Amino acid sequence: MSFFGFGQSADIDIVLNDAETRKKAEHKSEDGRKDKYFLFYDGETVSGKVNVTLKYPGKRLEHNGIKIEFVGQIELYYDRGNHHEFVSLVKDLARPGELTQSQTFDFEFTHVEKPYESYTGQNVKLRYFLRATVSRRLNDISKELDIVVHTLSTYPELNSSIKMEVGIEDCLHIEFEYNKSKYHLKDVIVGKIYFLLVRIKIRHMEIDIIKRETTGTGPNVYHENDTIAKYEIMDGAPVRGESIPIRLFLAGYEMTPTMRDINKKFSVRYYLNLVLIDEEERRYFKQQEITLWRKGDIVRKSMSHQAAIASQRFEGSSHPEKRAHTSPLCSECMCRDSAKTSA
Amino acid sequence: MSDPVVADTRRLNSKPQDLSDAYGPPSNFLEIDVYDPQIIGVGRGRYTTYEVRMRTNLPIFKLKDSCVRRRYSDFEWLKNELERDSKIVVPPLPGKALKRQLPFRGDEGLFEESFIEERRSGLEQFINRIAGHPLAQNERCLHMFLQEESIDRNYIPGKV
């Protein structure tokens, strides 16, 4: 607030302690722009410093308290006024008083629970952010720092394949199979379509990945469908007994993990839609839900071990001269070959 | 659980295709020709009929090779029956050409050669599209249109 430009004001800046080392992740904003934000996981500590810089040095800044909050909230676009906060932590940095000079305050939110993944969709947004506030009598000064949270999972215990026989009586019978029902975001969908009966003239077949965002409850449920990908798997007319393979690499598409009934406010689910199109542009389709999950990145230690295994495949036993090396890699080759000759 | 170094992208097992299936005739053969326009009658009551010949190997059709004579109003009847009874979106017929039925035209009106050819082609497209639709193949009116000598307008509508 400034009386004819004479009042004191301040700029707030939030800086994380591990800003140098922490990874950033890209996240799409509401208007479609992609920005990079600091990446956090569930249980990680959020710590840093709040810098309050006075605009006019020398002048005092009176305030009613300085605090920092860590907020996780869900915002429904059709109900902007109400933010549903599912995480709300506060730390007081300064009691009501006055600042005579610019000051820095430390803060730490230890082992913060971040149960859901950050999500920006068509009708709903889930975000996490830090908000530092200098309270004043007439108007507060505040600053927000958005962060992105990813939820990780491990390989599921049970991951059965999807196998089904569908069709139209006496016209078209197919058996489709996908190798898993739960895929991670960089996985490959491997499957096949087997034609049992074909009495229509098919022109081509494709697989679409559909994302369905569901918001609202009870009678006000609203679904927003979005076709993420269309991938042609067959061009031409198949006959009985033919088997068409499917190989769809998910890493090329922008997708999020499956989110079911988040805080009872929204869901994001993914479906595979198998579509057959005949010569008259008629479409025959079968939709099947799949579960997507996020795999954690490989830790560095096992990375080098896997690189060693990969290079072993190329080394082989065709260059016996190379065994003169003393590197551990070649000695492993030697062990393998000696085992072979002894057999 | 150990992560695989390379993603498992092996194809799923499938039995090899039987050679008779691979090289045998396709079981979706359906061809309908609309040809040989003939002008029936004299004077003002004249009308054109077309030969509708269907060849198919689909089991749902009783006759694998049938030949009937139909006029434009028969096609209109079929379109109305299908629009009423089946849930499909019926493709459009070629125009009704009411203007051509008025007197004092410079040309032959409804019996102008180019017009008959245009109409014949439109009717052929229409009947091929409709007969290939799995839901239309269930309707009795379609079978009666394609395979019976004459259309009984007092028939009982239903599914085959």
Side-chain angles (χ1 to χ4, degrees):
Chain A
M1 160 200 94
S2 48
F3 278 128
F4 312 104
F6 287 140
Q8 174 63 290
S9 188
D11 286 322
I12 308 179
D13 196 24
I14 307 173
V15 179
L16 296 175
N17 281 341
D18 49 11
E20 300 286 305
T21 51
R22 185 164 286 279
K23 271 213 193 137
K24 282 192 161 188
E26 259 189 27
H27 193 76
K28 195 167 51 85
S29 66
E30 222 178 298
D31 49 15
R33 258 193 9 244
K34 283 174 117 188
D35 285 319
K36 285 190 161 222
Y37 301 95
F38 285 109
L39 177 62
F40 281 85
Y41 299 105
D42 189 13
E44 282 194 300
T45 293
V46 185
S47 64
K49 301 189 195 317
V50 177
N51 300 325
V52 181
T53 319
L54 298 178
K55 267 221 177 95
Y56 309 105
K59 268 227 178 102
R60 281 186 301 217
L61 178 72
E62 280 180 23
H63 65 85
N64 279 344
I66 305 179
K67 65 177 180 195
I68 183 154
E69 298 168 276
F70 181 85
V71 180
Q73 73 181 28
I74 297 174
E75 189 184 306
L76 293 158
Y77 294 172
Y78 58 77
D79 187 19
R80 297 258 189 191
N82 290 329
H83 292 167
H84 306 274
E85 290 183 3
F86 55 89
V87 174
S88 183
L89 304 169
V90 186
K91 285 255 190 298
D92 280 318
L93 299 175
R95 276 171 304 168
E98 59 184 31
L99 285 179
T100 45
Q101 53 180 351
S102 304
Q103 212 169 329
T104 297
F105 302 91
D106 288 302
F107 69 89
E108 179 175 299
F109 293 103
T110 334
H111 301 315
V112 185
E113 219 184 85
K114 303 174 207 75
Y116 312 120
E117 173 149 328
S118 296
Y119 175 74
T120 301
Q122 308 267 55
N123 296 303
V124 60
K125 182 156 75 168
L126 189 154
R127 61 186 264 243
Y128 294 85
F129 58 94
L130 285 161
R131 179 169 53 211
T133 313
V134 175
S135 306
R136 296 202 294 178
R137 201 161 44 93
L138 284 172
N139 60 348
D140 298 339
I141 312 168
S142 75
K143 182 84 195 285
E144 284 182 3
L145 175 70
D146 271 63
I147 60 158
V148 152
V149 171
H150 282 174
T151 51
L152 301 178
S153 308
T154 49
Y155 277 97
E157 291 275 323
L158 231 56
N159 200 352
S160 50
S161 67
I162 301 173
K163 189 166 175 165
M164 247 183 249
E165 197 183 303
V166 293
I168 301 173
E169 186 78 26
D170 253 0
C171 273
L172 174 69
H173 288 187
I174 60 167
E175 187 190 76
F176 71 86
E177 186 176 348
Y178 304 127
N179 62 335
K180 302 184 208 175
S181 37
K182 299 174 189 153
Y183 292 94
H184 62 80
L185 296 179
K186 308 248 183 289
D187 215 335
V188 188
I189 298 178
V190 173
K192 72 175 206 290
I193 310 291
Y194 180 73
F195 287 90
L196 293 153
L197 179 71
V198 190
R199 290 214 182 103
I200 52 172
K201 298 188 195 184
I202 296 175
R203 197 147 40 83
H204 73 267
M205 178 164 66
E206 64 185 37
I207 287 202
D208 300 345
I209 305 179
I210 297 178
K211 170 175 141 185
R212 182 175 300 166
E213 184 188 284
T214 306
T215 46
T217 52
N220 301 327
V221 171
Y222 179 68
H223 300 291
E224 181 93 40
N225 289 335
D226 184 25
T227 304
I228 304 241
K230 282 188 186 218
Y231 188 73
E232 185 178 87
I233 55 172
M234 178 188 82
D235 184 20
V239 291
R240 179 173 52 198
E242 272 195 85
S243 198
I244 304 297
I246 299 167
R247 185 165 311 192
L248 180 47
F249 288 81
L250 296 177
Y253 305 109
E254 256 175 54
M255 298 188 295
T256 69
T258 294
M259 300 169 90
R260 288 206 174 90
D261 207 22
I262 300 299
N263 211 232
K264 302 205 196 314
K265 294 270 174 290
F266 72 94
S267 296
V268 181
R269 302 166 98 121
Y270 289 88
Y271 300 85
L272 287 181
N273 201 22
L274 180 70
V275 187
L276 293 97
I277 296 134
D278 75 6
E279 302 236 322
E280 295 297 339
E281 301 288 338
R282 287 182 282 257
R283 300 164 69 92
Y284 309 80
F285 62 90
K286 174 74 186 137
Q287 215 174 77
Q288 193 63 39
E289 183 175 1
I290 53 168
T291 303
L292 294 182
W293 55 279
R294 188 182 290 278
K295 187 157 75 93
D297 287 331
I298 308 170
V299 176
R300 260 164 151 239
K301 212 165 45 152
S302 53
M303 188 67 152
S304 57
H305 173 63
Q306 283 165 0
I309 298 173
S311 57
Q312 260 188 13
R313 290 188 186 173
F314 287 89
E315 290 282 277
S317 51
S318 52
H319 302 282
E321 304 80 58
K322 287 201 177 164
R323 287 189 217 157
H325 291 180
T326 52
S327 68
L329 181 60
C330 287
S331 65
E332 269 200 66
C333 280
M334 258 165 69
C335 287
R336 264 206 327 210
D337 284 326
S338 58
K340 237 177 24 181
T341 50
S342 63
Chain B
M1 234 183 271
S2 58
D3 293 358
V5 176
V6 176
D8 189 0
T9 51
R10 293 171 299 173
R11 279 202 200 183
L12 300 179
N13 288 333
S14 48
K15 29 188 199 292
Q17 188 179 26
D18 200 344
L19 283 181
S20 64
D21 285 342
Y23 293 104
S27 38
N28 58 6
F29 181 69
L30 172 69
E31 259 170 44
I32 305 179
D33 295 312
V34 176
Y35 61 100
D36 188 26
Q38 299 286 344
I39 302 172
I40 312 287
V42 286
R44 279 222 286 156
R46 288 179 297 167
Y47 59 93
T48 314
T49 61
Y50 306 82
E51 180 112 349
V52 178
R53 175 153 184 220
M54 178 175 90
R55 278 168 297 184
T56 183
N57 68 358
L58 297 178
I60 196 160
F61 291 107
K62 280 213 207 70
L63 298 175
K64 299 306 171 221
D65 198 336
S66 72
C67 210
V68 293
R69 279 231 147 234
R70 296 283 180 255
R71 59 183 289 189
Y72 183 84
S73 54
D74 293 332
F75 283 84
E76 270 186 319
W77 169 86
L78 176 64
K79 180 167 195 276
N80 291 332
E81 292 295 298
L82 288 172
E83 274 177 346
R84 188 193 65 221
D85 289 337
S86 76
K87 297 195 200 102
I88 60 188
V89 174
V90 184
L93 273 175
K96 220 171 137 53
L98 288 168
K99 276 213 236 160
R100 284 188 177 260
Q101 291 177 35
L102 297 173
F104 308 121
R105 286 181 65 98
D107 57 17
E108 318 235 324
L110 274 181
F111 307 102
E112 175 84 29
E113 250 182 66
S114 61
F115 169 71
I116 288 184
E117 174 52 34
E118 208 182 286
R119 187 173 260 201
R120 182 210 68 78
S121 161
L123 291 175
E124 192 173 70
Q125 262 181 38
F126 170 83
I127 192 66
N128 271 292
R129 282 170 77 175
I130 222 36
H133 199 304
L135 290 179
Q137 286 166 5
N138 288 337
E139 297 292 327
R140 260 227 293 237
C141 53
L142 180 72
H143 290 263
M144 187 159 71
F145 179 95
L146 287 170
Q147 308 207 307
E148 278 178 40
E149 182 81 33
S150 56
I151 296 177
D152 175 13
R153 306 251 166 156
N154 297 321
Y155 84 119
I156 303 157
K159 309 265 183 253
V160 157

